[in-house]
Amino acid sequence: MNLRRYKKYFKFIKRKPFLILSVTKSIVAALIFKKSILRKLELSITYKCQCSCQKCSSSKLKNPERKELTLDEIRSIAAQAYSLGIFQVNLIGGEPLLRKDLIEIIKCFKVKKTFISISTNGVLLDEQKIKELKKAGLDYIKISLDSPLEAEHDKKRGWPGLFKKIMRSIEFIKSEGLLYELSTVVTKESITSRKIWELVAIAQEKKGILGLVVPAVCGGWAQDYGVLLGEEERGTLKKLVQYPHVIRDTQTGLFRSQCSAGREQVYITTYGDVLPCSVVQISFGNIRRDSLKSIWAKIQDSGMFDQSKDLCLAGEDKEFIDKYLKPIDNFEQMPVLWEKLKNF
């Protein structure tokens, strides 16, 4: 296990002894029985959102003609995911706080043995909402922060006053004893302007975690290969993660630092499509037609994720991008079926 990544959580995880048992069982199943463990489920519960981010990775996944997953369908997904070994769940959007039944959704999962997080833009976060989320069993709140500059962040999100609201919400989160993360996409501009280092300082001052994500060519950035980080920027990324309160997406592997897409995690869209992750928008099946177990097996059999790499496949691995993502970057509606991609 990547101890550097998880040591930040050990003190917190002690409150959940059954979670420790779940993690141990997954490690044993992987090491002794050589099973492919589905460690993490990312579940999009809505694509509705108040913000208007140009980079939005969900923009091509939205389809108003399709219906959102129901509460009963989410319960079924949870049961199937536990049978495959999950002990981490991240609820994502769009903006997940827009779901009126969010508390019931959280309760679909075994809160005593699962590390449950939510990714939010922060618009609807307030003291009362944070108390409700904690009571329901939420452990961790990821809040998007695009810039250390108030006016710039609000402009990028299309929501005046959002930066200040996030800063206030952080204090409520800490007072409730929850963990939180300021999540940001590391761009070339944020590196050259040194704004990324200002974000490092803000997270340190606020006693939080800064989560780094690299740009990927999808959604609002489809076909824009200029957003991908070069070797020099990736060198800066390596320096950033040396800070004890800074992490990046690849530092979540069960045994090593690696891209977990399709190896230890899946992303399920608001409409039930099962993808390796939110930015590899290739569907291996739909939970409304197929079992999660059969879809997970199809992902393992695809060969896409046979090689373990300490980088984001969709944002840093040129071979992966050329082979799997470039052929579909001009599609207006995502996801693309795996069977269709194979015929390209």
Side-chain angles (χ1 to χ4, degrees), residues 6-264:
Y6 285 101
K7 69 180 181 180
K8 303 175 179 70
Y9 304 147
F10 282 163
K11 189 182 222 178
F12 182 83
I13 288 174
K14 283 181 185 177
R15 305 178 203 172
K16 287 193 167 187
F18 290 107
L19 173 56
I20 297 173
L21 180 61
S22 296
V23 175
T24 303
K25 285 174 64 178
S26 291
I27 291 173
V28 170
L31 288 177
I32 307 299
F33 299 105
K34 307 300 181 184
K35 288 186 177 180
S36 296
I37 298 301
L38 179 58
R39 168 180 58 83
K40 181 180 178 182
L41 170 66
E42 279 215 317
L43 179 62
S44 176
I45 56 177
T46 185
Y47 285 135
K48 296 173 184 174
C49 187
Q50 315 95 319
C51 294
S52 53
C53 307
Q54 184 270 332
K55 67 177 183 292
C56 180
S57 61
S58 302
S59 61
K60 289 190 173 187
L61 291 170
K62 298 176 188 175
N63 188 339
E65 296 181 3
R66 303 180 73 186
K67 293 182 179 180
E68 292 182 347
L69 292 166
T70 66
L71 192 60
D72 283 342
E73 287 174 325
I74 292 172
R75 287 194 186 98
S76 174
I77 289 169
Q80 293 181 65
Y82 281 116
S83 72
L84 294 171
I86 67 156
F87 55 84
Q88 285 180 273
V89 173
N90 185 40
L91 301 176
I92 195 170
E95 174 47 52
L97 291 179
L98 285 171
R99 279 281 297 237
K100 302 297 184 184
D101 56 354
L102 175 59
I103 299 303
E104 286 74 22
I105 289 173
I106 293 172
K107 291 178 180 178
C108 289
F109 298 93
K110 301 174 183 178
V111 296
K112 291 184 178 180
K113 58 170 62 176
T114 314
F115 191 81
I116 304 176
S117 61
I118 193 168
S119 296
T120 176
N121 57 34
V123 171
L124 294 177
L125 278 182
D126 57 27
E127 187 173 13
Q128 183 59 36
K129 180 62 69 176
I130 291 164
K131 287 179 182 292
E132 290 175 2
L133 292 170
K134 179 185 178 181
K135 185 177 179 181
L138 193 75
D139 301 305
Y140 192 80
I141 300 177
K142 299 181 181 182
I143 312 172
S144 298
L145 192 63
D146 294 332
S147 172
L149 306 178
E150 180 181 335
E152 185 174 63
H153 173 77
D154 292 355
K155 183 178 180 180
K156 287 184 175 183
R157 290 274 151 177
W159 197 269
L162 184 53
F163 185 94
K164 284 182 178 176
K165 187 171 182 57
I166 290 170
M167 294 302 118
R168 288 196 301 270
S169 296
I170 287 172
E171 300 310 313
F172 298 139
I173 292 168
K174 291 194 295 185
S175 69
E176 288 299 320
L178 292 173
L179 292 171
Y180 83 93
E181 171 185 319
L182 295 174
S183 179
T184 193
V185 179
V186 183
T187 64
K188 292 178 178 179
E189 189 278 332
S190 68
I191 291 175
T192 56
S193 67
R194 297 194 62 79
K195 290 173 190 171
I196 190 63
W197 296 103
E198 294 180 51
L199 288 172
V200 171
I202 288 175
Q204 186 173 35
E205 177 191 348
K206 298 290 184 180
K207 294 181 171 54
I209 294 169
L210 181 67
L212 308 180
V213 181
V214 299
V217 182
C218 70
W221 281 341
Q223 300 184 334
D224 188 1
Y225 291 89
V227 302
L228 299 180
L229 301 183
E231 286 302 314
E232 186 174 345
E233 290 90 10
R234 291 183 61 213
T236 300
L237 199 61
K238 291 178 181 178
K239 294 177 182 177
L240 289 165
V241 296
Q242 297 307 307
Y243 285 80
H245 67 292
V246 178
I247 60 174
R248 61 158 301 181
D249 43 6
T250 57
Q251 291 180 309
T252 57
L254 192 58
F255 299 109
R256 63 186 68 86
S257 185
Q258 65 176 2
C259 181
S260 295
R263 294 180 62 87
E264 295 180 8

